[in-house]
Amino acid sequence: MENNAAMRTWLDAFNLNHPLVIAGPCSAETEEQVLKIAHELKDSDVSVFRAGIWKPRTRPGGFEGVGAIGLKWLQRAKAETGLLLAVEVANANHVQLALEHDVDVLWIGARTTVNPFAVQEIADALKDTDKIVLVKNPVNPDLALWLGGVERLYNANIKKLGVIHRGFSTYEKTKYRNNPEWQLPIELQSKFPDLPLICDPSHITGKRDMILEVSQQALDLNYDGLIIETHIDPDNAWSDAAQQVTPSALKQIFKDLRIRKITDEADEYNQKLEGLRTQIDEIDSKLLNILGKRMKIADSIGALKKERNVAVLQNKRWNEILGKMVLEGEERGLSEEFILKMFKAIHQESIAHQEKIINS
């Protein structure tokens, strides 16, 4: 699969002067709930109404969706509001039912994207469709697996494709429900700049009061749209209550979001930008030089440990370094999250250098 400007055709056809917005409840619960939310979202920036019909849960026993009956509720919502419809599909049966009920947008969820067999089954069921099909990132930060899902659909002659960034599971505790790992979607953008990229701040944050912050960050990174979970009574929602916003709160988010220009052609702006970028290039070169010197010291430590038959990993020393660097980083305006990621990467490289010396 190669990047092609035609990948954006379906998105351009919306002819919007704002990012594409897909919104609606995490789960369709009742016909009344579905219709009320849809009518609240009518005549707003929302173009596509979403609702979960089948809800795969981490453990059995929880609410797993109303099933196919909910598709009839969505059809009625579409007829009454004119909003397009979007649902998640996880197998060929879901696809068939969604197509029979004239769903416009089908997305593949994170738990399904991790399974190439399941994605292929969906691709086969959707072969040659003119529906819009979106692929959420897999639960683990694996860009190849994410793109592999898109490629399976592309090979099934599905033209209207896009991806949804919903964050990644991590064993580390962060402020997010699913860590965004922004570098992965940025890398995806660089490989396929014309493949529409949509952010799911609801699943990234898991908290309604962070939706605006993450939505703005996505738009600042040139995302094409947002998919946001919206409920008339979020606190009593049957699933993912904490991350859903009311329709009125969603409309306020639309007002508060700032749409950035891609660039500015003014000479003064470009001269200042070029000067600042030159400074960054010089500092980056110095950083690499310093890191190279650090790894030479790691080589010397490795040689000393080899001579004395000492283990490479020294947990006490590593924890002392990490705690010290977090404090010093905060004094320099650097987040704890960034410091931890950076020094863990440096430590891993240092360990690799020492192991190479010891095992040589």
Side-chain angles (χ1 to χ4, degrees):
M1 185 177 76
E2 296 182 358
N3 183 67
N4 189 318
M7 288 179 169
R8 303 188 63 80
T9 302
W10 70 264
L11 181 63
D12 294 338
F14 280 93
N15 196 29
L16 301 172
N17 60 2
H18 55 77
L20 175 70
V21 180
I22 303 170
C26 174
S27 301
E29 299 167 359
T30 67
E31 184 173 22
E32 179 185 9
Q33 171 240 19
V34 166
L35 293 174
K36 188 167 184 179
I37 297 172
H39 278 280
E40 288 276 353
L41 298 178
K42 182 184 178 183
D43 300 324
S44 71
D45 284 356
V46 177
S47 297
V48 183
F49 181 71
R50 59 140 292 156
I53 301 299
W54 305 280
K55 300 297 300 179
R57 313 314 295 173
T58 302
R59 298 179 66 183
F63 174 62
E64 297 191 329
V66 296
I69 185 65
L71 293 170
K72 296 186 182 300
W73 307 341
L74 295 184
Q75 279 187 305
R76 183 176 170 188
K78 180 178 180 178
E80 293 184 9
T81 67
L83 293 170
L84 300 184
L85 302 179
V87 299
E88 177 180 350
V89 293
N91 55 49
N93 181 55
H94 292 171
V95 169
Q96 181 180 351
L97 288 167
L99 295 179
E100 288 174 359
H101 290 82
D102 197 26
V103 172
D104 305 282
V105 180
L106 299 87
W107 82 82
I108 297 174
R111 290 182 174 89
T112 306
T113 306
V114 299
N115 185 345
F117 293 106
V119 176
Q120 188 61 56
E121 176 185 331
I122 293 169
D124 292 341
L126 283 169
K127 185 175 174 60
D128 299 324
T129 187
D130 64 349
K131 301 293 186 181
I132 299 167
V133 185
L134 308 175
V135 182
K136 282 197 173 186
N137 63 254
V139 291
N140 51 311
D142 187 333
L143 182 57
L145 192 58
W146 194 3
L147 286 173
V150 179
E151 288 169 337
R152 289 178 185 278
L153 296 163
Y154 180 85
N155 291 338
N157 197 36
I158 299 168
K159 305 292 187 184
K160 300 177 182 178
L161 293 170
V163 291
I164 299 174
H165 171 215
R166 51 80 78 189
F168 303 88
S169 296
T170 175
Y171 67 91
E172 297 174 346
K173 186 176 181 180
T174 74
K175 66 179 182 178
Y176 303 103
R177 177 182 178 184
N178 293 291
N179 209 39
E181 303 285 359
W182 294 105
Q183 73 277 7
L184 263 78
I186 288 172
E187 185 177 348
L188 185 147
Q189 273 185 318
S190 69
K191 292 177 181 291
F192 295 94
D194 290 306
L195 182 65
L197 174 59
I198 295 167
C199 182
D200 179 351
S202 303
H203 280 89
I204 287 176
T205 65
K207 303 169 188 172
R208 65 177 65 99
D209 59 357
M210 292 177 64
I211 299 294
L212 174 60
E213 172 192 337
V214 170
S215 296
Q216 185 64 65
Q217 191 164 358
L219 297 187
D220 290 347
L221 294 172
N222 298 321
Y223 280 54
D224 298 291
L226 303 166
I227 178 169
I228 300 177
E229 293 187 343
T230 313
H231 196 289
I232 48 174
D233 185 11
D235 288 332
N236 291 304
W238 295 3
S239 58
D240 287 347
Q243 67 191 39
Q244 300 193 64
V245 298
T246 62
S248 59
L250 181 66
K251 291 172 185 176
Q252 186 60 49
I253 288 172
F254 296 154
K255 293 178 182 178
D256 293 339
L257 285 171
R258 297 187 63 185
I259 310 302
R260 316 287 187 187
K261 296 182 292 185
I262 293 178
T263 187
D264 191 317
E265 299 300 329
D267 290 341
E268 181 184 5
Y269 163 80
N270 284 293
Q271 288 172 3
K272 288 182 178 179
L273 183 64
E274 190 60 33
L276 293 170
R277 284 175 171 171
T278 298
Q279 291 178 50
I280 284 180
D281 289 344
E282 291 175 356
I283 293 171
D284 284 346
S285 181
K286 290 177 182 178
L287 281 173
L288 289 175
N289 185 46
I290 290 170
L291 287 171
K293 290 179 179 179
R294 191 188 192 285
M295 293 310 156
K296 285 184 179 179
I297 296 173
D299 289 340
S300 298
I301 291 174
L304 181 60
K305 287 179 178 177
K306 180 177 182 179
E307 178 185 335
R308 307 300 295 182
N309 194 31
V310 174
V312 169
L313 183 60
Q314 301 290 319
N315 277 320
K316 183 179 178 182
R317 162 71 176 165
W318 164 234
N319 289 328
E320 289 173 352
I321 291 174
L322 207 54
K324 180 183 177 184
M325 290 302 103
V326 166
L327 291 175
E328 291 190 13
E330 288 177 349
E331 292 175 359
R332 291 165 173 78
L334 302 173
S335 70
E336 179 178 345
E337 183 181 4
F338 171 72
I339 291 295
L340 290 173
K341 284 184 177 180
M342 182 179 71
F343 274 93
K344 283 179 180 179
I346 291 172
H347 185 243
Q348 187 174 3
E349 181 70 10
S350 179
I351 291 292
H353 273 251
Q354 293 184 43
E355 285 184 336
K356 185 176 180 181
I357 295 293
I358 286 179
N359 295 319
S360 63

